[in-house]
DNA sequence: CGGAATCCATAACGATACTG
DNA sequence: CAGTATCGTTATGGATTCCG
C-alpha cells in the first residue's frame, strides 16, 4: 500500500497577518520557563510563589515573577492575593492555561520519545564535522 | 470505570534528568525561526536556501543559516549540496522533522483558535494596570 | 548562490539589595 | 512571603563585508 507523499500537513492556512500573531503568541508561550511553570501548575492545580520556585529548578525570582506576570496577562493563570501578613499569593491555571498544557502535551511527548534520535543525530553530525 | 480526577495530565513522568533534556530540546525546537522554517518545509517538501528566505518573512541570512544548521544537526532536515556553479543546496524535512511538525500542529492550532481570547485577556489586564 | 566572518546594538538574564 | 528596583554581564540577532 502506497503512503501519501506528505503524511501530515501541519498548518492548514497561511494568512500572513494571522501568521505573525500566531508566531508571536507561540514565541511567548513556548518559552522555557512558561512551559515549566505550566507543567508544575498542571500537576498541582494551585501553588504559592515559593512553591513554584522550588518545583521549577534553577528559576530565578526575577524570571519567575516575569513569567507569571506574562502568563497572567495572557489569561493563562489567575493570581489570587490573600490580604494577610505575611502575604499569601496563589496561582492556578485558567481553562485557557489548561488547554495550552494539553496542546503542548504532544510536543512534550514528541521530545521525550525522540530524545535518543536527536542525540544520535547530533553525535553523527558532530563526528562528521570533525573530519 | 472511573476516570482520573484531572481531565488532562500533560506530562506523564518527571525524571529530572530527562526533564532537563526534554526542556533543552523543546527550547531549541520551539524557537521562532525553527517553527517557521518547519512550516514552509512542511508545505513545500523541498526548498533551496533563497526560496526559504523569501518564504519566511524577515529572517536574516545569518539566522536562517543558523536555524537550518541546528535543524540539520538535530536530524530534522537533510541538506543536499549539488556540485554545480552557481551552488545549489536543497533542504527537506526528515521523518523526524515531519513528526515534529505534526506534534506542533496542536500548539499552532491552539494559538490560532485562542488568539482572540489572549488579546482580550491582555487588553483587560492592561486596562486594570492603568487604574 | 549559499554561505562564513566580523562588528555592534540591544535585549535577556542573574545577582544583589531593598520593601510592604 | 512575595515581590520591586538596580546593576552588570552575557547571549542574541541585525547589518555588513567577503568568498568559493
Amino acid at each position: 500500500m502506497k503512503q501519501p507523499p506528505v503524511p501530515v500537513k501541519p498548518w492548514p492556512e497561511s494568512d500572513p497577518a494571522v501568521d505573525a500573531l500566531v508566531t508571536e503568541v507561540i514565541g511567548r508561550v513556548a518559552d522555557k520557563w512558561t512551559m515549566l511553570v505550566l507543567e508544575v501548575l498542571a500537576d498541582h492545580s494551585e501553588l504559592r510563589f515559593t512553591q513554584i520556585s522550588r518545583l521549577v529548578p534553577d528559576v530565578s525570582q526575577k524570571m519567575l515573577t516575569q513569567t507569571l506576570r506574562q502568563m497572567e496577562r495572557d489569561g493563562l493563570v489567575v493570581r489570587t492575593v490573600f490580604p494577610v501578613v505575611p502575604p499569601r499569593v496563589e496561582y492556578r491555571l485558567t481553562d485557557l492555561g489548561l488547554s495550552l498544557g494539553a496542546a503542548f502535551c504532544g510536543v512534550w511527548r514528541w521530545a521525550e520519545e525522540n530524545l535518543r534520535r536527536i542525540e544520535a543525530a547530533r553525535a553523527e553530525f558532530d563526528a562528521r564535522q570533525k573530519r
Side-chain angles (χ1 to χ4, degrees), chain A:
Chain A
M1 191 64 85
K2 182 138 187 332
Q3 293 295 329
V6 178
V8 176
K9 180 168 187 311
W11 296 278
E13 60 174 284
S14 263
D15 177 351
V18 175
D19 256 34
L21 280 173
V22 170
T23 298
E24 188 261 346
V25 166
I26 292 188
R28 166 144 311 164
V29 130
D31 165 72
K32 173 185 179 181
W33 299 125
T34 301
M35 283 194 309
L36 292 178
V37 170
L38 199 60
E39 180 182 7
V40 302
L41 281 179
D43 274 350
H44 295 80
S45 84
E46 70 200 0
L47 289 171
R48 299 179 60 175
F49 187 86
T50 34
Q51 291 181 311
I52 302 177
S53 71
R54 271 193 295 268
L55 288 170
V56 177
D58 298 328
V59 67
S60 68
Q61 165 267 340
K62 179 182 179 178
M63 292 314 329
L64 183 54
T65 301
Q66 197 176 107
T67 301
L68 286 170
R69 282 292 176 285
Q70 284 180 0
M71 293 177 74
E72 188 193 0
R73 186 170 112 96
D74 290 343
L76 301 178
V77 303
V78 283
R79 175 172 176 270
T80 312
V81 182
F82 297 87
V84 296
V85 285
R88 177 187 186 88
V89 180
E90 283 191 351
Y91 294 90
R92 65 173 174 81
L93 291 183
T94 62
D95 289 347
L96 192 61
L98 277 173
S99 71
L100 175 60
F104 250 110
C105 184
V107 179
W108 191 269
R109 281 194 297 100
W110 179 92
E112 272 187 351
E113 288 164 8
N114 294 288
L115 265 185
R116 295 304 177 87
R117 253 182 288 264
I118 294 171
E119 286 178 335
R122 287 181 184 175
E124 194 195 345
F125 182 89
D126 293 349
R128 242 186 297 165
Q129 295 316 84
K130 287 216 306 196
R131 287 182 290 172

